[in-house]
Amino acid sequence: MKYVELLLFVLIGIQVFYFFIFAVAGLAPHELILKKGQPLTRFAVLIPGYKEDKIIVDTARQALEVDYPRERYRVIVLADSFQPETVQKLRAIGAEVLEVIFDHSTKAKSINKGLEYLENDPPEAIVILDSDNVMAHFFLRKVSDAFKSGHQIIQAHRTAKNKNTPMAILDAANEEIGNHIFRKGHRNMGLSSALIGSGMVFEYHLYKKYMAQITDTAGEDKQLEMLLLKDGHTIEFYEHAYVYDEKVSTTKNFGKQRTRWLGAQFYFFRNYFLDGLKHLILKGNVDYFDKCFQMALIPKVLLIGLMGIVGVVDYFTDWLTYNWLLLTVLYYSAMLISVPASMYNKDLLRAIAHIPVAIVALIGSILRINKKTATHFEVTEKGQTGEAK
C-alpha cells in the first residue's frame, strides 16, 4: 500500500507542479512585437460545419461584418450535409459556399477540400473558425499585424460568448485556465502555445502542407500540433485578438463533447508519447515532448475532484501524509490564479457548486470511450451565435 501511494503521489505530483509552474508563468504579460504600417494580409476565413443549419448563417454574416476591407478577405463555409435553403441564404449574404460530402465526415477532410478550393487563387493566410465562432470587430486587423510581423502560426484568444448556465460558466472558466496555462504561460516559458481547433491563423502554404498529413481523426488540431512541433515550428499566442466561442450549456452536451476530446487525447498519448520522448532525448526537442506529455494529463475538472477528496482524507486521518494536502493546495492555487479576475462573481460561485455534476459527466465520458471515439466526428449541438463584442 505504501509503495502504491508513493507512486500515485509522484505521478499526480508531477502534474500538479506542471500546472502550478505554468500558471505562475502566465501571470506575466505576453506582448507580441509588431511591425506597424505593413500592408494588409489577404485572408481566407474557412468555417467548416456539419449539419449546422441552425447557426451558420448568423456566423457567416458576422464574419462578413468585421472591420477589414472586403477585397482583402473571403469567407468560405465548408458545408457538410447542409440543407439547400441554408446554402442559398449563405450565398445571398455574400459568403462563398463549398458543399462537401463524405462517407465518413471529419473536420480535417472539410478543411482539406477548402484548401484545394483555394489553390487557383491562394490567400496569404488562413483563418479557421468553428460554426459558432464570432471574430471580434478588429480581429483581422490585429492578426494581420502579427502575421506581417513574422508570426506564421497564431492561436488567438478564444473566449466565451455565453455564460447562461452553470455548465457554460464552468466551460468558460476551463477555457480561460487553458489560455493562461497552455498558451500564455507556455509562451512566457519559451514553449509553443497550444492550438484549440478554432481562432487559428496559418500561412496558407504551410497549413496546406501539414493538413495534407492529417489522418482520419476527430482531433485534427492536436495532430497538427504534433506535426508542427516535431518539425521545430513555433506556435504563437495573441492574447488581445479575440474570437468568441459558444460554450456548452448542458451536462449532456458537456459529456458528449468530452467523450470526443478524451478519446482523441488517449489516441495521441498511445501513438505519440514514446516518439516525443525519443525526440527529447536524441534531438532535445522540448516543445514536441511537452505536447506529447500533455496527452498524459488527467482532465483538470476530474483532478479538482480527486485532489479535493484526497486532501480531505489527508486532513482528517493519518492514512496519508500531509504532503497530499500541500499538493491539493498547490493545484487549487494554480486553477484559481488562472481564472481571470473578471470572472470572479456570484455566478462563478454557483458554477463551482456544479463541479460534482461535471465530474460525474466526465467519468461517464471516460466510460463511453471506444476505438471509434478518436476517429468518428460527432457534432456538439449549439443553440446560439451571439454578437461579437
Side-chain angles (χ1 to χ4, degrees):
M1 182 67 181
K2 190 174 182 179
Y3 293 109
V4 173
E5 180 197 334
L6 179 61
L7 177 61
L8 185 63
F9 180 82
V10 169
L11 292 176
I12 293 180
I14 290 171
Q15 176 165 339
V16 169
F17 277 99
Y18 180 88
F19 276 116
F20 186 77
I21 289 169
F22 285 108
V24 172
L27 294 173
H30 179 68
E31 301 292 342
L32 302 187
I33 299 175
L34 303 176
K35 299 176 183 177
K36 298 297 183 180
Q38 299 295 312
L40 294 174
T41 306
R42 289 185 298 106
F43 287 112
V45 180
L46 298 184
I47 312 177
Y50 177 75
K51 297 183 178 180
E52 300 282 10
D53 302 84
K54 183 178 180 181
I55 61 175
I56 194 64
V57 175
D58 191 43
T59 298
R61 176 184 59 78
Q62 294 193 69
L64 290 163
E65 292 175 352
V66 297
D67 184 6
Y68 204 72
R70 279 295 292 116
E71 68 274 10
R72 302 299 291 175
Y73 80 108
R74 303 158 66 183
V75 174
I76 304 162
V77 176
L78 309 175
D80 186 350
S81 306
F82 280 22
Q83 297 297 320
E85 53 268 30
T86 303
V87 173
Q88 291 176 2
K89 289 178 182 178
L90 287 167
R91 288 177 173 150
I93 64 173
E96 297 177 51
V97 182
L98 176 63
E99 295 185 78
V100 295
I101 300 175
F102 307 106
D103 292 333
H104 166 42
S105 295
T106 67
K107 184 177 177 180
K109 287 180 180 179
S110 291
I111 290 173
N112 278 319
K113 285 292 185 182
L115 295 172
E116 291 176 12
Y117 171 77
L118 292 168
E119 280 181 351
N120 293 331
D121 184 21
E124 293 177 83
I126 296 289
V127 176
I128 301 296
L129 299 180
D130 280 344
S131 56
D132 61 343
N133 287 171
V134 176
M135 295 181 287
H137 199 51
F138 297 105
F139 176 81
L140 290 180
R141 291 189 180 274
K142 287 179 178 291
V143 294
S144 177
D145 286 343
F147 183 78
K148 291 295 186 178
S149 300
H151 304 293
Q152 291 192 318
I153 310 168
I154 304 166
Q155 175 61 62
H157 188 158
R158 201 176 74 178
T159 192
K161 65 183 175 186
N162 66 302
K163 298 173 185 175
N164 52 319
T165 68
M167 188 59 74
I169 295 170
L170 282 180
D171 200 14
N174 183 65
E175 180 103 283
E176 293 300 344
I177 290 170
N179 286 330
H180 185 94
I181 293 174
F182 294 109
R183 283 166 271 285
K184 188 179 178 184
H186 269 64
R187 289 305 293 133
N188 284 343
M189 294 285 285
L191 296 172
S192 283
S193 163
L195 295 176
I196 320 178
S198 70
M200 305 181 297
V201 181
F202 302 90
E203 193 278 327
Y204 168 75
H205 295 288
L206 177 70
Y207 188 53
K208 189 172 186 295
K209 171 187 173 182
Y210 281 94
M211 281 303 297
Q213 303 174 49
I214 301 298
T215 56
D216 199 12
T217 173
E220 78 295 328
D221 56 326
K222 297 308 172 193
Q223 187 173 12
L224 180 61
E225 274 186 277
M226 300 291 187
L227 296 172
L228 289 167
L229 299 181
K230 187 175 182 177
D231 285 351
H233 293 284
T234 298
I235 303 170
E236 188 52 81
F237 175 55
Y238 197 170
E239 184 178 13
H240 304 300
Y242 291 95
V243 168
Y244 299 94
D245 176 71
E246 184 179 343
K247 312 320 294 178
V248 293
S249 299
T250 67
T251 304
K252 178 182 176 181
N253 280 339
F254 176 85
K256 187 177 180 181
Q257 185 185 68
R258 265 51 182 188
T259 298
R260 186 175 75 250
W261 288 4
L262 289 170
Q265 180 179 335
F266 293 158
Y267 171 83
F268 290 118
F269 174 73
R270 290 196 309 269
N271 288 278
Y272 284 89
F273 186 82
L274 293 180
D275 188 57
L277 184 61
K278 182 181 75 173
H279 277 71
L280 174 68
I281 296 171
L282 299 180
K283 299 182 178 181
N285 192 335
V286 179
D287 228 356
Y288 177 44
F289 175 73
D290 175 70
K291 177 51 56 181
C292 297
F293 175 78
Q294 289 174 20
M295 298 300 105
L297 297 177
I298 299 170
K300 296 187 291 296
V301 172
L302 188 59
L303 194 56
I304 286 174
L306 178 61
M307 296 306 297
I309 293 170
V310 172
V312 170
V313 172
D314 186 22
Y315 183 80
F316 287 106
T317 73
D318 59 0
W319 176 53
L320 303 171
T321 69
Y322 283 102
N323 291 332
W324 279 102
L325 186 58
L326 174 61
L327 216 57
T328 302
V329 171
L330 280 178
Y331 183 65
Y332 282 13
S333 298
M335 296 298 102
L336 291 172
I337 65 177
S338 298
V339 176
S342 60
M343 289 194 69
Y344 279 94
N345 52 38
K346 292 180 180 179
D347 289 337
L348 180 62
L349 291 176
R350 283 193 287 267
I352 289 173
H354 207 68
I355 285 179
V357 177
I359 291 173
V360 171
L362 198 56
I363 292 172
S365 298
I366 294 172
L367 295 176
R368 286 193 297 272
I369 292 173
N370 54 49
K371 291 182 179 180
K372 293 183 178 181
T373 306
T375 57
H376 282 63
F377 178 78
E378 188 176 12
V379 66
T380 302
E381 184 180 350
K382 303 294 177 66
Q384 63 182 46
T385 56
E387 293 297 324
K389 297 180 181 179

